[in-house]
């Protein structure tokens, strides 16, 4: 599947709904990612729960010292 850049809005939604996971340096589980999707129609339009999970995973990996 072609790579789709994350918009600022999508990123802020993920940061807002999964801030706890991000703060704890923890990749969200399926139900956590789905909860973020359920709360945000904008996110649901183009992303799956796995997209959300991998976004957080990649972000944590990038900022890990």
């Amino acid at each position: 599947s072609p790579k789709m850049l994350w918009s600022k809005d999508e990123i802020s939604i993920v940061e807002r709904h999964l801030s706890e996971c991000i703060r704890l340096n923890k990749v969200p589980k399926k139900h956590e990612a789905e909860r973020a999707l359920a709360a945000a129609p904008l996110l649901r339009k183009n992303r799956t729960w796995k997209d959300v999970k991998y976004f957080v995973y990649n972000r944590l990996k990038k900022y890990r010292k």
Side-chain angles (χ1 to χ4, degrees):
S1 60
K3 280 195 173 175
M4 220 169 57
L5 289 177
W6 285 70
S7 72
K8 285 192 166 60
D9 289 341
E10 286 177 317
I11 293 169
S12 68
I13 290 167
V14 171
E15 287 172 344
R16 192 164 60 242
H17 289 283
L18 295 169
S19 58
E20 189 74 355
C21 290
I22 293 168
R23 199 173 53 78
L24 296 172
N25 216 8
K26 166 179 155 318
V27 177
K29 295 193 170 6
K30 180 178 181 182
H31 73 272
E32 293 167 316
E34 283 178 335
R35 204 172 23 210
L37 286 172
L42 177 79
L43 211 53
R44 258 197 324 269
K45 214 168 65 192
N46 302 314
R47 310 289 177 183
T48 66
W49 72 268
K50 282 188 176 171
D51 294 329
V52 172
K53 175 188 168 124
Y54 287 119
F55 174 82
V56 175
Y57 168 79
N58 288 326
R59 187 189 147 133
L60 293 175
K61 205 171 66 173
K62 185 172 153 190
Y63 294 112
R64 216 169 260 153
K65 302 281 181 281

